[in-house]
Amino acid sequence: MTLADVRAAMDRGDDPAALATLRALTPAPDEREEAAALALHLGQPSLAVRWSEDPLLLAAAQLRLGEAAVALVSLQDQPDTARPALLRARAAWQGSGDAATLAWHARTLARSEGDAGALVAAVTLLGELLLPSDPRAALRTLAEGLKVAELTGQEADAHLMAVLAHTQAALGSADKAGRTGAKALGRSLPRSPARVAALLALGRGEEARAEAAAGELAEIWWRGLSSPAQGDAGRVSPQRLQ
């Protein structure tokens, strides 16, 4: 089994074959980073952690596993730029840090750096933070990510769309939420946080749990999404995000 076999399976859209090939892979030292990136793409963060030494990829994989404290250690020597800042904000959301302030900071950095991907991810996280306490503020925040997609001529990000579906449902627009959730599901990668969030938005909880288990996703990823009757822990006042 080789990396070329994994890529070939991915190119032909054969996800089961790509996953099986990846799991059977023993990458050469000079292939480990590429293998780790493919592992994260295919929803296998433990393999990404095993193979990678790249701090950002490591932290992203560790956050998939819910290992926020370990991710912060991976990021400790990284600069204060948009992508490390975004990962630190996600780690704070999983842990006990000031996720709102860090996510706002990541958004500011992404804007100043012109990093469209980081900006979309930052407003998605801000949407998650705002949703439980103020879905209207979440909707306004997520709109920036939709505008980025419009300006760049790309489809809106699947994770952002999934959070948007939950937001629309919270605002009483069930039909609109269903359509948005279906779009998010169609654009999401197998075993990804976006797919789990989209399935939850569509009321397909058993499928969401199965997808999360297959992708080794910690439950923290759907905090505030799976049930509107959650407590106040982690909720954010919109005033803190101004």
Side-chain angles (χ1 to χ4, degrees):
M1 298 296 180
T2 67
L3 278 177
D5 294 327
V6 178
R7 288 193 297 268
M10 293 172 64
D11 288 344
R12 64 176 182 268
D14 190 343
D15 178 69
L19 190 60
T21 305
L22 179 81
R23 288 172 172 168
L25 187 66
T26 302
D30 62 346
E31 296 178 328
R32 288 171 67 90
E33 291 300 334
E34 183 181 355
L38 290 177
L40 190 62
H41 182 82
L42 288 168
Q44 299 297 282
S46 62
L47 288 179
V49 169
R50 182 186 306 173
W51 292 332
S52 181
E53 294 183 1
D54 177 80
L56 297 187
L57 197 155
L58 264 178
Q62 288 156 346
L63 289 170
R64 291 276 186 107
L65 298 166
E67 298 174 352
V70 180
L72 287 173
V73 173
S74 297
L75 294 167
Q76 64 185 357
D77 294 325
Q78 295 305 295
D80 188 26
T81 53
R83 299 212 171 209
L86 174 62
L87 292 166
R88 292 185 182 106
R90 177 66 70 178
W93 176 225
Q94 292 189 3
S96 56
D98 190 350
T101 297
L102 293 171
W104 177 85
H105 180 60
R107 183 180 67 174
T108 299
L109 290 171
R111 286 173 171 174
S112 66
E113 294 168 20
D115 189 333
L119 179 55
V120 169
V123 298
T124 300
L125 176 55
L126 287 169
E128 292 177 67
L129 289 163
L130 283 166
L131 173 58
S133 59
D134 193 341
R136 290 193 182 280
L139 185 64
R140 291 192 298 270
T141 301
L142 293 166
E144 183 172 6
L146 298 177
K147 186 65 174 178
V148 170
E150 180 183 335
L151 291 173
T152 58
Q154 299 177 340
E155 287 188 333
D157 176 76
H159 197 179
L160 183 143
M161 293 291 285
V163 176
L164 177 61
H166 285 274
T167 304
Q168 291 168 334
L171 291 170
S173 301
D175 290 344
K176 187 179 292 186
R179 292 192 296 271
T180 303
K183 288 180 182 178
L185 183 63
R187 297 174 190 178
S188 64
L189 293 171
R191 300 169 294 277
S192 67
R195 179 155 296 189
V196 172
L199 287 166
L200 289 171
L202 295 169
R204 294 158 60 176
E206 288 189 12
E207 290 177 69
R209 285 190 289 274
E211 202 78 22
E216 304 174 303
L217 288 173
E219 289 187 17
I220 196 68
W221 276 92
W222 53 91
R223 178 200 287 183
L225 299 182
S226 57
S227 171
Q230 299 209 10
D232 290 332
R235 294 188 177 180
V236 180
S237 166
Q239 286 77 19
R240 297 184 63 199
L241 299 177
Q242 302 304 315

